[in-house]
Amino acid sequence: LTMTRTKTRALANWPNNGVSVLDFGAVGDGVNDDTAAIQAALNAASPSLNAGMGGVALYVPHGKYRITSTLTCSNTGQVLLHGEGKFRSVLQWDAPSPGLMLDCGVWGLDLENIQINGRPSNGDLYRVGDEGIRSQGVQRFSNTYLTGFETQLIWNGGYYHTFDNCD
């Protein structure tokens, strides 16, 4: 399955190299599977890293985005996932079996105004074996809510980590 950008739009006050997950077909209704659309946005954004822009900004508008398999940041620069608020823009882990939700073996990962939620729909606090984020290098989390995983965050090295207004 190959997904391409379905539309372009101007995002007020958003960096020029920003990409919206909606532009790749994500719905954000908590029902439809948004995995392929968000992965396509991550993949399409990676060429900007080689264009001297210093990284990629992925905009996640208000909504609940259902993720059913691991999202991979395969590029080698900074990745910013930016939402509209930690209780408004939610990436919801809903894989059929335990696994890793976000694998960002990149130089840096920034999360702003977003929720990464692994809490199972059966009401349990977490499912054994689920992992939230794997990353290396610089991490900066601002106004971020990371919850519902047996292991929330895995750092593979790195030297600079900041957390601001996070739960």
Side-chain angles (χ1 to χ4, degrees):
L1 173 68
T2 301
M3 294 192 71
T4 57
R5 194 170 192 166
T6 57
K7 54 189 155 186
T8 58
R9 72 181 86 197
L11 299 172
N13 301 318
W14 188 242
N16 291 334
N17 60 332
V19 172
S20 172
V21 297
L22 298 180
D23 293 341
F24 289 83
V27 179
D29 64 359
V31 176
N32 287 290
D33 186 350
D34 293 308
T35 308
I38 294 174
Q39 186 63 61
L42 284 166
N43 294 346
S46 63
S48 70
L49 296 170
N50 299 321
M53 294 183 179
V56 58
L58 186 59
Y59 177 60
V60 182
H62 176 253
K64 187 174 188 178
Y65 299 87
R66 189 169 160 252
I67 308 300
T68 59
S69 62
T70 302
L71 294 171
T72 304
C73 306
S74 58
N75 37 39
T76 58
Q78 188 97 7
V79 173
L80 164 65
L81 295 178
H82 180 85
E84 292 184 11
K86 64 183 171 185
F87 299 111
R88 294 181 46 84
S89 298
V90 179
L91 296 182
Q92 178 67 50
W93 181 240
D94 193 24
S97 58
L100 174 65
M101 181 176 175
L102 183 60
D103 190 0
C104 284
V106 297
W107 180 78
L109 174 66
D110 285 0
L111 300 177
E112 290 181 349
N113 301 316
I114 197 164
Q115 182 179 140
I116 310 295
N117 193 332
R119 188 155 294 153
S121 59
N122 67 5
D124 288 347
L125 293 179
Y126 66 89
R127 178 172 59 184
V128 173
D130 277 338
E131 299 173 335
I133 300 171
R134 181 184 303 144
S135 183
Q136 66 185 27
V138 175
Q139 286 88 31
R140 187 181 63 83
F141 297 168
S142 177
N143 198 37
T144 297
Y145 186 53
L146 179 60
T147 186
F149 297 96
E150 182 178 27
T151 304
Q152 307 285 7
L153 185 58
I154 302 165
W155 280 319
N156 294 333
Y159 57 91
Y160 181 73
H161 314 288
T162 62
F163 298 88
D164 177 38
N165 193 27
C166 295
D167 299 319

